[in-house]
Amino acid sequence: AQSVAQPEDQVNVAEGNPLTVKCTYSVSGNPYLFWYVQYPNRGLQFLLKYITGDNLVKGSYGFEAEFNKSQTSFHLKKPSALVSDSALYFCAVRDIGSGNTGKLIFGQGTTLQVKP
Amino acid sequence: GAVVSQHPSWVICKSGTSVKIECRSLDFQATTMFWYRQFPKQSLMLMATSNEGSKATYEQGVEKDKFLINHASLTLSTLTVTSAHPEDSSFYICSAAGQASYNSPLHFGNGTRLTVT
């Protein structure tokens, strides 16, 4: 079964510092990985995805993620955090394959708190 | 970009009544829509998957008679919470897939906050 794990419930960083939000995955076959952000009482906004190609993926709002096959990780990163980046972040894997619906399977979520 | 509109954004209803939530894809055709439920500070739990013109597929443990899903057109899916009870209070989010390709991200509505009193 496909799954993703986000080992940290919360990440705290100071504004201007780099940030990393961790994600590890477990899939059979090639992973289709996504990062989403959720602001309070809102739906999810797509940040970036990895399907194939370069291991470093660039996305919206200055975020990027590094796919590491040997470590089965897909950590979200940003060189310089903003207070407005404070939100709930979800890593997800697409459930693919014959008979599967293509649903997204989400990690537990990580709250990012950026302090001024 | 692809836009998914969800309505209402919040609703308060009395115990025993039914509530309908709409999910519309505004600028693309959604062959598949997913309905999720989210408790405070928790992850999203998939409730069901609906394909246009066919019956929804419910996840294990989700009561199909309580959470009625209809996907009558390529741009509209509805979730009806029937005979709502306080334990049904939650944040419900829909998402839509516009292409038959797993490369494409799913697009999400802004969610509906349901409070049952």
Side-chain angles (χ1 to χ4, degrees):
Chain A
Q2 322 253 40
S3 66
V4 291
Q6 295 176 242
E8 303 156 315
D9 288 336
Q10 181 157 328
V11 170
N12 298 309
V13 297
E15 188 174 31
N17 282 1
L19 70 87
T20 298
V21 182
K22 296 180 180 178
C23 172
T24 58
Y25 64 89
S26 175
V27 304
S28 54
N30 294 322
Y32 287 57
L33 296 163
F34 300 81
W35 274 102
Y36 285 84
V37 60
Q38 184 182 31
Y39 294 97
N41 294 310
R42 301 296 294 268
L44 274 65
Q45 295 179 32
F46 168 71
L47 285 178
L48 49 79
K49 66 179 180 181
Y50 173 83
I51 305 300
T52 186
D54 291 339
N55 289 342
L56 186 63
V57 179
K58 294 189 182 295
S60 306
Y61 313 119
F63 284 94
E64 57 189 29
E66 186 170 10
F67 172 71
N68 187 316
K69 188 173 183 178
S70 62
Q71 297 185 4
T72 61
S73 67
F74 188 54
H75 300 332
L76 181 71
K77 300 181 179 182
K78 187 172 182 179
S80 178
L82 300 172
V83 173
S84 57
D85 291 331
S86 299
L88 183 58
Y89 289 80
F90 289 102
C91 181
V93 62
R94 197 87 185 257
D95 190 19
I96 65 172
S98 177
N100 292 334
T101 61
K103 65 188 178 187
L104 280 174
I105 298 170
F106 289 93
Q108 303 92 313
T110 298
T111 298
L112 173 65
Q113 191 77 25
V114 181
K115 297 187 176 178
Chain B
V3 177
V4 175
S5 173
Q6 189 172 339
H7 178 81
S9 55
W10 59 271
V11 58
I12 301 173
C13 71
K14 292 185 176 180
S15 187
T17 61
S18 296
V19 173
K20 180 184 283 188
I21 301 169
E22 293 187 347
C23 181
R24 295 180 183 272
S25 56
L26 298 185
D27 52 359
F28 66 100
Q29 293 184 326
T31 53
T32 304
M33 286 190 173
F34 304 90
W35 287 95
Y36 290 87
R37 182 174 180 176
Q38 185 181 31
F39 292 101
K41 298 194 176 183
Q42 292 190 24
S43 190
L44 282 74
M45 180 192 78
L46 181 66
M47 299 174 66
T49 303
S50 71
N51 291 295
E52 184 266 338
S54 62
K55 289 184 178 180
T57 301
Y58 289 81
E59 295 297 302
Q60 193 171 9
V62 178
E63 300 176 60
K64 60 179 68 175
D65 293 331
K66 181 167 187 62
F67 299 100
L68 301 179
I69 291 173
N70 183 280
H71 193 163
S73 77
L74 285 171
T75 59
L76 174 64
S77 176
T78 60
L79 166 66
T80 301
V81 183
T82 62
S83 186
H85 288 93
E87 57 265 30
D88 299 324
S89 298
S90 192
F91 193 55
Y92 294 87
I93 308 175
C94 70
S95 69
Q99 302 177 30
S101 168
Y102 298 130
N103 292 357
S104 302
L106 297 184
H107 305 287
F108 287 80
N110 277 331
T112 298
R113 172 74 59 193
L114 170 63
T115 302
V116 185
T117 60

